[in-house]
Amino acid sequence: MDLCENLISFVIPCYCSEKTIKQVVDEVINEFRKQLKYDYEIILINDCSKDNTKTVIKNMAEENHKIVAVDFAKNFGQHSALMAGFSKVKGEYVVCLDDDGQMPIESVFELIGELENGADVAFGKYEETKQKWYRNIGSAINAKMTEILLDKPRDLFISSFWAGKRFVIEEVLRYDGAYPYIGGLLLRATQNMVCIPVKHRERLSGTSGYTFFKLVNLWMNGFTAFSLKPLRFATFCGCISAMVGFLFGIITIIRKLLNPEILIGYTSIIAVILFIGGMVMFMLGMLGEYIGRIYICINKSPQYVIRDVVDERRIK
């Protein structure tokens, strides 16, 4: 990747955002008209939207040579779209944001200021989120699980509105697996990350493309690709179950020897069988998840497939 100093690259994954993406891009451009220090470029990635997003971003790229439009051949997800965008950036700093207008564009230069002061990555931390209740619950679960499984610092808030230095992006791009998880890749690349408080806006239009099941799939991508702790947890549970079963057997034998009239409990046996059987199935499922993802990665399943690119950049 070529490097242009004093250039900020924006990477925006787009999914069914024909009604919002132009307003988001216009707001970014207007912010840069207020200052003279930095130039900008905007990478828009259409993640195989069901609406007219492809045409909208293509027209913007043809009208403005600082905008690049990338069109996916199928839906690969937000994190794959970010990886595709990273491969196109030329800026000294890279800013990621969503296409729904909820990100406070006016706070971009606050994030850049943190990078200039020495941080490698700066996240926007929302004082209050404007999203559905299950997204708030999902975000809380994701934050806690990331602390446990990926060793995220407790005071670090990972959001989709963030800025990073070029070397961090280059390190992220070294990952060529089929299941990218940006939070895990950033945590693997650097520990020098900070947060700044920002306001979360209401969506300009429509609803989030993330369903609860898509969130679960995203968590699985992160936890199985960047941590062995789920397997260690399964091993720990197996050991505990074996110990409990062994102790229960010893207690049963002793009770039977002390009081031969005690009948062997059918209910307790069934409960133990169901418990152990459930633990075994859980462990096998976790192991199968790892093996399946290894198999897909070995077969070189792509992170994304690009159908078309409109790139007429002439940035000096």
Side-chain angles (χ1 to χ4, degrees), residues 1-286:
M1 296 188 297
D2 298 329
L3 174 61
C4 297
E5 294 184 358
N6 297 326
L7 174 67
I8 298 176
S9 301
F10 288 82
V11 178
I12 309 178
C14 305
Y15 182 73
C16 296
S17 54
E18 63 173 350
K19 297 180 180 179
T20 61
I21 186 59
K22 190 176 188 309
Q23 185 171 338
V24 172
V25 170
D26 287 343
E27 189 173 355
V28 170
I29 295 173
N30 289 334
E31 283 298 318
F32 277 81
R33 288 174 177 166
K34 301 175 184 178
Q35 56 82 47
L36 300 175
K37 181 177 180 180
Y38 290 104
D39 200 354
Y40 72 91
E41 65 175 2
I42 303 173
I43 318 296
L44 304 175
I45 307 94
N46 174 41
D47 193 15
C48 200
S49 301
K50 299 176 182 179
D51 61 4
N52 202 36
T53 300
K54 173 184 175 181
T55 302
V56 172
I57 67 171
K58 181 180 180 181
N59 290 340
M60 285 193 291
E62 291 173 346
E63 294 171 1
N64 186 340
H65 66 269
K66 297 181 181 181
I67 297 176
V68 177
V70 179
D71 183 41
F72 277 1
K74 60 174 288 188
N75 182 266
F76 285 91
Q78 181 185 25
H79 291 236
S80 292
L82 287 171
M83 295 293 283
F86 293 160
S87 69
K88 302 291 183 183
V89 301
K90 295 183 178 181
E92 180 181 7
Y93 301 126
V94 176
V95 177
C96 298
L97 62 150
D98 293 338
D99 59 346
D100 53 16
Q102 290 189 282
M103 310 292 104
I105 308 300
E106 66 275 7
S107 299
V108 163
F109 291 106
E110 295 181 37
L111 296 177
I112 299 302
E114 293 295 330
L115 301 186
E116 291 178 331
N117 289 333
D120 295 333
V121 178
F123 290 97
K125 183 176 182 180
Y126 307 128
E127 299 172 344
E128 181 182 357
T129 56
K130 307 287 186 178
Q131 57 189 11
K132 292 185 177 181
W133 63 270
Y134 70 85
R135 289 294 306 276
N136 289 328
I137 294 175
S139 297
I141 294 174
N142 182 66
K144 182 56 65 176
M145 295 295 286
T146 307
E147 287 179 22
I148 297 172
L149 299 181
L150 301 182
D151 298 321
K152 178 185 75 71
R154 182 172 297 180
D155 58 346
L156 180 66
F157 181 88
I158 296 180
S159 69
S160 56
F161 180 49
W162 60 275
K165 289 182 177 177
R166 180 60 172 267
F167 84 92
V168 175
I169 302 303
E170 292 177 348
E171 180 63 29
V172 168
L173 282 173
R174 290 180 57 192
Y175 179 80
D176 60 358
Y179 301 102
Y181 181 66
I182 300 302
L185 290 168
L186 293 176
L187 288 168
R188 190 172 70 175
T190 180
Q191 292 182 335
N192 186 18
M193 295 185 280
V194 298
C195 297
I196 64 169
V198 298
K199 293 183 179 180
H200 199 224
R201 304 173 179 173
E202 296 284 352
R203 290 181 65 91
L204 293 175
S205 177
T207 59
S208 173
Y210 268 115
T211 64
F212 178 76
F213 293 104
K214 286 185 177 181
L215 288 173
V216 172
N217 187 57
L218 178 63
W219 299 337
M220 291 300 295
N221 287 350
F223 304 149
T224 57
F226 297 95
S227 177
L228 293 177
K229 289 184 179 179
L231 288 178
R232 292 171 182 165
F233 175 74
T235 301
F236 175 78
C237 289
C239 293
I240 295 298
S241 298
M243 292 176 59
V244 170
F246 178 76
L247 292 174
F248 185 78
I250 295 296
I251 292 172
T252 301
I253 292 173
I254 293 175
R255 291 183 64 195
K256 188 66 176 177
L257 291 175
L258 295 176
N259 188 358
E261 296 181 357
I262 295 179
L263 297 176
I264 298 176
Y266 173 78
T267 304
S268 61
I269 292 176
I270 294 299
V272 170
I273 291 175
L274 290 175
F275 173 75
I276 295 177
M279 292 301 302
V280 170
M281 293 300 294
F282 172 77
M283 295 172 205
L284 288 176
M286 184 63 67

